[in-house]
Amino acid sequence: MKQKNDFVVFILTYGRPEKQITTRTLRNQGYTGKIYYLCSDDDCTLDQYKSIYGDDVIVFNKQKYKECFDIGNNFENYRGVVYARNANFKIAEEMGIKYFIQLDDDYTNFNLRFDRDLNYKFQSPKNLDVLFQLVMDFFIESNFTCIALGQGGDYFGGQQGTFSDAIKVKRKVMNSFFCSTDRPFKFHGQINEDTTAYIDGGMRGLLFATINQFALQQVQTQESSGGLTELYLDAGTYVKS
């Protein structure tokens, strides 16, 4: 099992310095490791982030990374989390970090979906240090390019749902990303960059998986200001789709 200092959490965040729901959730559920806040230098609230989180705020320039991936449109703006997602690999490498998880800033709960006897059961654990290390052990020993936690929508139907009847994986990654700097991959597209990553990467022979033992919940999309909310509202569901 990897030591705690071999793995860190990066929270990708924009315009929400005083609304870090994920940080509160992580600490309340037993994560004691390092948390870094990955912010772009065009964030008008950057000084507030630095005032609250100090040296744990990592700042990057979006234009530095714009040529390394396809933004997927000609809107000529730099909104979207895709820049941070791609920059994260290089930044982690420069910081001497090999293993990390990318998280958004609005997760309200991490939960287990099976008990010790592998029966479907919703549980909110208080030992995220252990659970994160177990996922990383699996990731390190496997050939997966990236592993994600399940999301609430994956479990529609509860115990009768197709993703809840046994321990299994889906060939996708969304919302949370267990990564390694020696297994880099690219995100593409200003919106839905996660879906584009696993579809494009899957066609190229990269392996992606969402595990169903361990899941997360987040604030409803477009309900909280900051982050991607304004981008989704401006671009509309048509462009998003």
Side-chain angles (χ1 to χ4, degrees):
M1 183 176 291
K2 287 290 175 183
Q3 297 299 311
K4 191 182 300 180
N5 58 4
D6 291 326
F7 169 82
V8 305
V9 169
F10 282 97
I11 295 179
L12 282 48
T13 181
Y14 187 95
R16 294 171 176 166
E18 297 180 346
K19 199 173 184 179
Q20 291 300 306
I21 299 172
T22 298
T23 298
R24 182 171 65 248
T25 301
L26 287 168
R27 296 310 190 196
N28 286 344
Q29 293 193 246
Y31 176 71
T32 64
K34 194 69 177 176
I35 299 174
Y36 290 107
Y37 303 87
L38 191 53
C39 303
S40 57
D41 58 8
D42 65 342
D43 189 336
C44 64
T45 64
L46 191 56
D47 287 343
Q48 291 173 262
Y49 276 104
K50 292 179 178 179
S51 175
I52 298 170
Y53 302 107
D55 292 339
D56 293 335
V57 177
I58 309 299
V59 182
F60 74 100
N61 178 268
K62 290 179 178 178
Q63 294 195 39
K64 178 180 177 181
Y65 294 93
K66 69 176 184 178
E67 302 300 332
C68 76
F69 68 96
D70 185 355
I71 195 64
N73 60 47
N74 59 356
F75 293 167
E76 298 182 358
N77 66 59
Y78 293 95
R79 294 189 296 177
V81 71
V82 65
Y83 301 93
R85 295 214 190 283
N86 286 313
N88 201 168
F89 288 96
K90 183 64 174 178
I91 289 168
E93 185 177 40
E94 291 173 348
M95 294 174 67
I97 297 166
K98 186 173 184 180
Y99 302 110
F100 61 94
I101 183 173
Q102 284 188 6
L103 298 176
D104 293 342
D105 59 15
D106 59 352
Y107 302 147
T108 58
N109 186 263
F110 293 89
N111 46 80
L112 291 169
R113 296 290 180 137
F114 291 85
D115 63 19
R116 293 179 181 273
D117 298 319
L118 304 185
N119 297 310
Y120 182 75
K121 182 178 180 181
F122 185 99
Q123 306 172 81
S124 294
K126 299 294 185 180
N127 59 340
L128 287 186
D129 278 350
V130 174
L131 292 173
F132 282 165
Q133 286 193 10
L134 289 172
V135 176
M136 284 306 305
D137 286 347
F138 174 61
F139 172 68
I140 291 167
E141 294 299 323
S142 72
N143 289 320
F144 284 110
T145 302
C146 179
I147 289 175
L149 305 180
Q151 300 172 266
D154 291 321
Y155 302 93
F156 284 162
Q159 190 169 2
Q160 308 305 316
T162 58
F163 201 46
S164 309
D165 58 354
I167 301 296
K168 62 178 67 174
V169 300
K170 285 186 177 181
R171 291 183 294 175
K172 69 167 189 170
V173 288
M174 298 178 70
N175 220 284
S176 61
F177 308 89
F178 285 87
C179 300
S180 173
T181 54
D182 65 0
R183 304 181 196 179
F185 61 97
K186 293 288 180 66
F187 293 88
H188 298 279
Q190 192 169 23
I191 302 178
N192 284 5
E193 77 291 333
D194 46 9
T195 300
T196 305
Y198 72 77
I199 291 175
D200 176 68
M203 291 190 296
R204 299 172 187 272
L206 303 181
L207 298 177
F208 298 91
T210 290
I211 60 175
N212 69 340
Q213 301 103 311
F214 192 11
L216 59 82
Q217 291 176 284
Q218 67 183 133
V219 174
Q220 185 174 341
T221 303
Q222 302 179 30
E223 287 295 312
S224 182
S225 62
L228 289 174
T229 297
E230 282 72 27
L231 176 59
Y232 286 156
L233 293 175
D234 289 349
T237 302
Y238 177 80
V239 173
K240 183 178 185 296
S241 300

